[in-house]
Amino acid sequence: MTVLVAQRSFPTNQDKARWMLEQSLADADLPAVRRWANVFRRLPLEERPAAILRFVQWAIDYVRDPGQEVLEDAAVALLRGYGDCDAKSRAFVALCIASGIPARGLPVRVDQGFPHIEAEVFVGGRWVRADPTILNSAIGQVPPASSAVTNYRP
């Protein structure tokens, strides 16, 4: 497997967030993501989001970027088995979408240096937050440490 790495800079955190949201949607078509999504498609539709969240929380270790932002796609995080919050969020969103569940990234605290990205998944007729980096969280139950958010929508 060849992994291409390119340096990318963004004029603002909002531009960076917009790019990350677009890329997480595109990741759903990556072959590695599709292969994993086939596993989750065996589950009933209503069980998939929670199963995908648990998988990303436990199968992809949280590792901070090495001093500068690394923006890898969901397939890299799945194959490598580690990544930071944006890698885990991208993997969660991509797996949900590829499994037939609407999902999107949710950059939080964009006005404070953009230190974190979570996700939202469409369940029960509404968008509900999820944090793939926090092991004790569940869909709709994000710990208070993540609750001071600024929702960003491009």
Side-chain angles (χ1 to χ4, degrees):
M1 175 180 95
T2 302
V3 176
L4 300 176
V5 177
Q7 183 127 11
R8 184 178 277 291
S9 61
F10 302 92
T12 68
N13 285 337
Q14 286 78 13
D15 292 323
K16 180 179 174 182
R18 186 176 300 110
W19 182 84
M20 291 175 73
L21 295 176
E22 292 167 358
Q23 295 304 306
S24 65
L25 298 175
D27 287 354
D29 289 327
L30 296 171
V33 172
R34 288 246 175 249
R35 282 191 298 276
W36 273 108
N38 285 336
V39 173
F40 294 107
R41 283 184 169 275
R42 297 177 190 153
L43 296 172
L45 191 64
E46 65 276 1
E47 293 178 20
R48 291 179 201 167
I52 293 168
L53 181 64
R54 283 190 308 275
F55 171 76
V56 172
Q57 287 171 335
W58 290 95
I60 301 174
D61 289 334
Y62 177 80
V63 176
R64 287 180 159 242
D65 286 337
Q68 68 178 18
E69 185 73 56
V70 177
L71 299 171
E72 64 271 338
D73 64 37
V76 171
L78 287 166
L79 294 169
R80 189 174 55 194
Y82 66 88
D84 67 350
C85 61
D86 58 83
K88 289 175 72 94
S89 177
R90 283 179 71 169
F92 174 74
V93 169
L95 286 169
C96 282
I97 292 169
S99 299
I101 307 295
R104 59 190 180 196
L106 177 65
V108 296
R109 298 185 301 262
V110 176
D111 57 342
Q112 298 175 17
F114 194 46
H116 192 56
I117 185 165
E118 296 175 356
E120 289 181 310
V121 62
F122 196 76
V123 294
R126 62 187 178 99
W127 288 101
V128 182
R129 285 179 53 205
D131 193 331
T133 63
I134 300 178
L135 297 179
N136 65 342
S137 67
I139 292 174
Q141 298 175 344
V142 177
S146 300
S147 64
V149 301
T150 300
N151 288 337
Y152 170 76
R153 293 286 173 253

